[in-house]
Amino acid sequence: MDILETDAFDRRQRRNMSCALLLSLLPFFLSAALFFYLWTPDSSASIMSAGVKSAPVLLLAAAVLSWNGGQSVLGVVGGLIFSAVGDCCLVWPDLFLPGMAAFGVAHLLYSFTFLSSRYSAYSSSSSSSIWIRSLYLILFMIGGGFYIYMYPFLQKAPDSGVLLPAVGVYIALIVLMGSLAIRTRNMATLLGSLVFMVSDLSLALQVFKVVAPMEHGHVVVMVTYYLAQLLIAVGDVNAANSNDDIAKWKRS
């Protein structure tokens, strides 16, 4: 009977946590909806548009901070803040390189977080199994293949001397982040990282004119981008709370 009561209590706790997490994410959903409502293809670059674009990610950072505390500032919260900086930079085409650098720092912070003990409840020694290694290899092959495919188009860019190495480093960083997300075995984190890669690859194809302008290309990029950040944030909250539950169980 005690075991059944404990199991029922755990289920109630998880349900209550899910409801509380959903409530804390409402500002993110509302601000993302506002962005898509206000954005138009001919929107001009301005401080207002930069603020509306970065607001959802900043609100996600605030939500993760409220759940995980200051320990997440040098992790997912820090990555979200740098992502918001990147969002602001990309509003102005001339700030593309600083924006890419900001996102590169965000991927590094995510990568360091995925290596932390916070995700130890998910990862294990079996993470070095053959299929996990195969996924690592596939991701790096996709990243390398995409860079090779993009190379001729990057050469045509006005600042190709800077873009060629910068894009290469950026692709390496996001592939590393995706690979470490696989290691965590946290489903939300893994999906968020992979969707982030899809969003960035879609953006690169449009920015460097690899594909013809798509009617809803910007919408595809932003929907996948916000979804990726949401999943990474939720994954971090779940990882922290899973560690807390394990620690309580050990103490008991």
Side-chain angles (χ1 to χ4, degrees):
M1 186 64 179
D2 290 339
I3 295 177
L4 293 177
E5 289 178 352
T6 301
D7 184 56
F9 176 77
D10 289 341
R11 285 200 302 271
R12 285 196 301 271
Q13 287 289 90
R14 287 193 292 270
R15 187 164 55 248
N16 292 340
M17 176 191 162
S18 297
C19 292
L21 180 57
L22 180 61
L23 287 175
S24 68
L25 291 173
L26 282 180
F28 161 79
F29 290 117
L30 292 174
S31 60
L34 179 64
F35 167 79
F36 288 111
Y37 177 75
L38 294 176
W39 182 85
T40 58
D42 57 349
S43 297
S44 58
S46 66
I47 294 177
M48 177 65 73
S49 59
V52 172
K53 183 181 181 183
S54 61
V57 176
L58 289 174
L59 290 170
L60 266 184
V64 176
L65 187 64
S66 68
W67 279 88
N68 294 352
Q71 62 177 342
S72 57
V73 171
L74 294 178
V76 167
V77 169
L80 289 168
I81 291 173
F82 272 99
S83 295
V85 173
D87 288 333
C88 292
C89 291
L90 293 186
V91 170
W92 290 273
D94 292 342
L95 296 179
F96 180 80
L97 282 172
M100 189 167 62
F103 278 112
V105 174
H107 295 321
L108 276 176
L109 289 172
Y110 289 156
S111 298
F112 289 141
T113 302
F114 299 160
L115 285 171
S116 69
S117 59
R118 183 180 306 169
Y119 289 84
S120 60
Y122 294 90
S123 59
S124 65
S125 59
S126 61
S127 62
S128 60
S129 62
I130 294 177
W131 74 272
I132 290 289
R133 292 178 181 176
S134 299
L135 287 176
Y136 294 161
L137 180 60
I138 290 171
L139 276 187
F140 277 98
M141 288 177 64
I142 291 173
F146 185 78
Y147 181 71
I148 293 171
Y149 178 70
M150 289 281 297
Y151 194 88
F153 299 93
L154 294 173
Q155 284 183 312
K156 298 176 184 177
D159 47 356
S160 60
V162 178
L163 276 175
L164 283 170
V167 171
V169 171
Y170 183 84
I171 290 176
L173 288 175
I174 196 170
V175 169
L176 175 64
M177 187 265 290
S179 300
L180 293 176
I182 293 173
R183 176 187 174 275
T184 68
R185 299 190 176 216
N186 181 325
M187 187 55 66
T189 299
L190 172 57
L191 289 177
S193 300
L194 295 180
V195 173
F196 209 141
M197 293 179 67
V198 171
S199 177
D200 276 3
L201 296 183
S202 301
L203 177 63
L205 291 174
Q206 297 176 60
V207 168
F208 299 114
K209 299 179 174 57
V210 179
V211 297
M214 296 185 290
E215 183 180 356
H216 302 292
H218 184 77
V219 175
V220 172
V221 170
M222 293 309 298
V223 167
T224 52
Y225 169 68
Y226 285 143
L227 175 61
Q229 297 284 31
L230 171 65
L231 290 170
I232 290 173
V234 170
D236 195 56
V237 172
N238 288 338
N241 280 274
S242 294
N243 266 1
D244 290 343
D245 291 342
I246 290 174
K248 291 175 183 177
W249 178 80
K250 287 181 177 179
R251 286 197 297 269
S252 63

